């Protein structure tokens, strides 16, 4: 039985609870003696019973005080209190039996302490159950003002949600029933709320019960299921709410405050993220961690998620002072700009990078600083070279002694067709080249479009809808790989834990999404209809796009090594001979499978992986032009 919010009893608990339990013992033992003598009690029987009652009551009160039963340690009627109560009752029965055996004249029949103790325990538990049922009834939301809701999902999220709804007397939601597609859960009752049917029954249940809201309580559901239940709910004329995805519930338990309207990320992709926390803690907890580009969408989310693992120091570097302040306040609303965790600097300044690494001595680096707007970089390619290439090179050269370096890359680096893609491809090769010269692990993580990041298609469409339209889409058949910011960063952190030296880890993005379908889903959420206009592909855009290019070569160690704990690194996939796998980093598989490919100057089966990249028309680091001033 879960704890509920309680109301103070009329009498102090230290008086009321022992009095109820003592009365239960008196009633139980008296009833046992009465039954033993078939209701023919004589005065001598009552006289013999008196000392037994005194001993039973004394043991109950004394043990209850010593075990904190009556001293406020346990909630009244909770499972923890019941366990202590059972132990005390057993102790009381044993004491009574021993006292009766050692007595010169047997005071009561031998079976009376056992029967009386069992009856007393039943009475004590019964009193607590009655009190608890009363409190549960008092804690339910007021049916006159609360919205009547159906909960879809009888799993753990649904159970927690029902418990939250039923224990908030001022709550806005009153659960009428549960809906679940599992036939094995029919006729089940969760916290007293019945399972009424499956998804096909939602329209009839809405009409029959007067439900105004359907709450989707499956926190790891796929987008297809979310869309299906939402369509059924809105078609029945009810409001649709849902619980957040697992990625949004990492730092707190599910509660009513988490219920929200569906957004486009829910309708396009919600996936469970199963993180091996031990492997993450092994390389983040207690370490000095530096995040470049900390003010950006990816960098700021990296800072928030890394902060949960309690690094010794989190160093946030960016050239945008306002963005740095925003990410700092998201970690600590009371923090000041004088906080030493903030570093205002540009990755283009090589000397400044060397000075920062020399003074702050980070052990783990996430390099997220980059220019990423494809169309702008097509117009100003020199800026891509200065920031994405020379900036990365400056950070890599300064980070020569770090334990682990993670370069955040993009799917545009696979078979690049744009300035951004070529620049990111070169940064992957620079990172792999640095892996050969430095003692630490240097690797890249590549993924596709991130929903909700600044400048993403999601924010562009949202602005166009707010302006009344139209939404501009390049082509009705163009597709992209999409994932949320939280999911992308979560997988990056874990990929960095299991990745090996010189590798580029390609996050499995699932199935590509048609951008036109994304636009239609956003229009469904808009307050008014909006048209879609097709403009054609712009220069530098590719169609279709994938995360691994023709020149990328799978690592010698297959993805199966990710599913084994403590798998050896082996000679392939960029691991230098003689290097052992770092302790504390396990190989548990990421929920979205990670495919490995070796790019640039890492090692594959003892050969330079640069050979695998031929045909991509990319210069090796040694052939790059002299650094721009």
């Amino acid at each position: 039985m879960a704890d509920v919010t309680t109301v103070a009893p009329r009498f102090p608990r230290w008086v009321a609870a022992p009095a109820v339990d003592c009365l239960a013992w008196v009633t139980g033992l008296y009833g046992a003696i009465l039954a033993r003598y078939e209701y023919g009690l004589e005065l001598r029987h009552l006289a013999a019973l008196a000392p037994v009652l005194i001993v039973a009551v004394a043991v109950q009160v004394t043990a209850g005080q010593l075990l904190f039963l009556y001293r406020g340690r346990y909630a009244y009627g909770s499972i923890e209190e019941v366990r202590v109560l059972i132990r005390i009752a057993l102790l009381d029965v044993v004491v009574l039996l021993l006292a009766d055996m050692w007595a010169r004249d047997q005071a009561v029949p031998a079976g009376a302490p056992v029967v009386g103790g069992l009856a007393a325990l039943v009475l004590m538990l019964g009193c607590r159950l009655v009190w608890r049922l009363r409190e549960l009834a008092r804690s339910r939301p007021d049916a006159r003002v609360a919205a009547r809701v159906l909960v879809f999902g009888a799993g753990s999220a649904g159970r927690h949600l029902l418990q939250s709804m039923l224990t908030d007397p001022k709550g806005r939601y009153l659960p009428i029933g549960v809906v679940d597609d599992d036939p094995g859960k029919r006729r089940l009752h969760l916290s007293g709320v019945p399972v009424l049917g499956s998804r096909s029954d939602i329209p009839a249940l809405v009409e029959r019960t007067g439900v105004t809201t359907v709450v989707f309580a499956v926190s790891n559901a796929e987008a297809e299921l979310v869309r299906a239940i939402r369509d059924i709910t809105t078609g029945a004329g009810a409001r649709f709410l849902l619980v957040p995805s697992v990625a949004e519930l990492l730092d707190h338990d599910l509660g009513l405050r988490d219920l929200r309207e569906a957004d486009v990320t829910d309708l396009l992709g919600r996936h469970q993220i199963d993180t091996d926390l031990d492997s993450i803690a092994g390389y983040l907890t207690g370490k000095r961690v530096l995040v470049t580009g900390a003010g950006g969408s990816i960098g700021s989310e990296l800072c928030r998620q890394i902060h949960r693992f309690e690094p010794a120091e989190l160093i946030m570097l960016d050239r945008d002072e306002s963005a740095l302040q925003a990410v700092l306040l998201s970690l600590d609303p009371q923090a000041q700009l004088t906080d030493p965790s903030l570093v205002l600097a540009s990755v283009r300044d090589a000397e400044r990078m060397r000075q920062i690494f020399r003074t702050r001595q980070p052990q783990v680096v996430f390099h997220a600083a980059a220019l990423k707007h494809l169309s702008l970089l097509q117009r100003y390619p020199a800026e891509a070279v200065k920031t994405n290439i020379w900036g990365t090179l400056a950070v890599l050269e300064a980070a020569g002694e770090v334990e682990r370096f993670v370069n955040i890359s993009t799917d545009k680096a696979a078979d690049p067709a744009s300035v951004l893609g070529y620049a990111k491809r070169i940064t992957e090769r620079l990172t792999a080249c640095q892996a050969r010269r430095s003692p630490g692990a240097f690797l890249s993580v590549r993924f596709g479009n991130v929903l909700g990041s600044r400048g993403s298609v999601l924010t562009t469409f949202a602005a166009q809808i707010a302006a009344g339209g139209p939404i501009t889409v390049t082509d009705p058949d163009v597709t992209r790989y999409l994932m949320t910011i939280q999911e992308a960063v979560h997988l990056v952190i874990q990929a960095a834990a299991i990745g090996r030296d010189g590798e580029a880890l390609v996050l499995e993005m699932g199935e590509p999404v048609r951008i036109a379908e994304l636009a239609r889903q956003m229009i469904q959420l808009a307050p008014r209809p909006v048209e879609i206009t097709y403009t054609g592909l712009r220069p530098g855009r590719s169609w279709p796009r994938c995360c691994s290019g023709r020149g990328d070569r799978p690592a010698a160690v297959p993805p199966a090594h990710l599913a084994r704990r403590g798998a050896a690194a082996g000679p392939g996939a960029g691991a230098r001979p003689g290097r052992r796998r770092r302790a504390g980093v396990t190989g548990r598989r990421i929920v979205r499978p990670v495919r490995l490919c070796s790019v640039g100057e890492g090692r594959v089966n003892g050969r330079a992986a640069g050979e695998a990249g031929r045909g991509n028309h990319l210069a090796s680091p040694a052939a790059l032009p002299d650094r721009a001033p």
Side-chain angles (χ1 to χ4, degrees), residues 374-391:
L374 187 147
S375 298
L376 273 177
L377 295 183
Q378 288 295 111
R379 294 176 56 194
Y380 304 104
E383 298 303 311
V385 172
K386 293 175 184 177
T387 298
N388 293 3
I389 298 178
W390 299 132

Side-chain angles (χ1 to χ4, degrees), residues 151 153-163 216-220 243-244 249 254:
V151 176
S156 60
R159 294 171 188 268
H160 281 101
L161 191 62
L162 287 171
Q163 210 167 63
F216 186 88
V218 184
S219 58
N220 60 340
V243 300
L249 295 174
L254 175 64

Side-chain angles (χ1 to χ4, degrees), residues 445-521:
V445 179
R446 183 192 297 175
F447 52 84
N449 295 58
V450 177
L451 290 171
S453 62
R454 290 189 298 181
S456 73
V457 65
L458 192 65
T459 56
T460 301
F461 286 175
Q464 292 173 344
I465 290 173
I471 290 180
T472 56
V473 178
T474 55
D475 188 277
D477 294 322
V478 71
T479 60
R480 289 293 181 263
Y481 292 94
L482 302 173
M483 65 187 346
T484 64
I485 295 177
Q486 293 85 0
E487 185 180 21
V489 170
H490 210 75
L491 294 177
V492 164
I493 293 175
Q494 189 173 0
I498 64 177
R500 295 190 298 232
D501 209 17
E503 288 179 341
L505 283 80
V506 180
L507 301 184
E508 179 57 59
M509 302 288 293
E511 295 298 322
V513 176
R514 292 181 184 272
I515 298 301
E517 176 62 21
L518 169 62
R520 283 190 285 271
Q521 293 289 349

Side-chain angles (χ1 to χ4, degrees), residues 233-290:
T233 301
T234 54
R239 183 187 182 195
F240 181 77
L241 298 176
L242 47 70
V243 300
S245 63
V246 173
E248 299 174 69
L249 295 174
L250 291 175
D251 57 349
H252 66 279
D253 295 328
L254 175 64
L256 294 180
R257 67 184 184 280
D258 297 309
L259 295 183
R260 57 175 174 79
E261 303 278 353
D263 58 32
V264 70
T265 60
D266 302 307
L267 302 179
L268 288 175
R270 290 158 53 94
H271 304 275
Q272 183 179 11
I273 299 176
D274 183 15
T275 303
D276 188 344
L277 295 178
D278 292 335
S279 67
I280 288 180
Y283 85 103
L284 287 178
T285 301
K287 301 288 186 179
R288 295 182 298 277
V289 182
L290 169 67

Side-chain angles (χ1 to χ4, degrees), residues 315-393:
I315 308 165
M316 297 174 284
L317 185 149
D318 203 287
R319 65 176 183 176
D320 186 338
E321 57 183 352
S322 299
L324 277 179
Q325 181 184 30
V327 68
L328 177 64
L329 293 177
S330 70
L331 298 178
D332 181 7
Q334 306 301 322
Q336 302 294 324
L337 285 177
T338 54
D339 194 301
S341 63
L342 297 184
V343 176
L344 186 64
S346 172
V347 295
R348 293 185 180 188
D349 189 340
E351 178 57 35
R352 177 81 168 117
M353 290 300 104
R354 286 192 291 270
Q355 186 263 335
I356 291 170
F357 275 83
R358 186 169 56 251
T359 57
R360 306 301 289 271
Q361 297 182 344
Q363 297 165 287
V364 181
V365 177
F366 287 89
H367 179 52
L371 298 177
K372 63 178 182 180
H373 291 280
L374 187 147
S375 298
L376 273 177
L377 295 183
Q378 288 295 111
R379 294 176 56 194
Y380 304 104
E383 298 303 311
V385 172
K386 293 175 184 177
T387 298
N388 293 3
I389 298 178
W390 299 132
T392 298
L393 186 58

Side-chain angles (χ1 to χ4, degrees), residues 418-439:
S418 62
V419 172
L420 174 60
Y422 277 104
K424 280 296 188 178
R425 182 72 172 187
I426 292 174
T427 64
E428 290 181 358
R429 290 198 168 192
L430 291 172
T431 303
C433 183
Q434 185 69 25
R436 302 177 60 190
R437 302 197 297 257
S438 300

Side-chain angles (χ1 to χ4, degrees), residues 29 32-33 36-37 41-55 95-113:
L29 288 172
I33 297 296
R36 170 65 179 80
Y37 292 108
L41 285 181
E42 299 177 2
L43 187 59
R44 59 186 180 88
H45 296 146
L46 295 177
L49 178 61
V52 176
L53 293 176
I54 293 173
V55 171
V95 170
L96 290 177
L97 287 174
L98 293 177
D100 196 43
M101 289 172 55
W102 290 341
R104 179 173 304 176
D105 296 322
Q106 192 175 43
V108 295

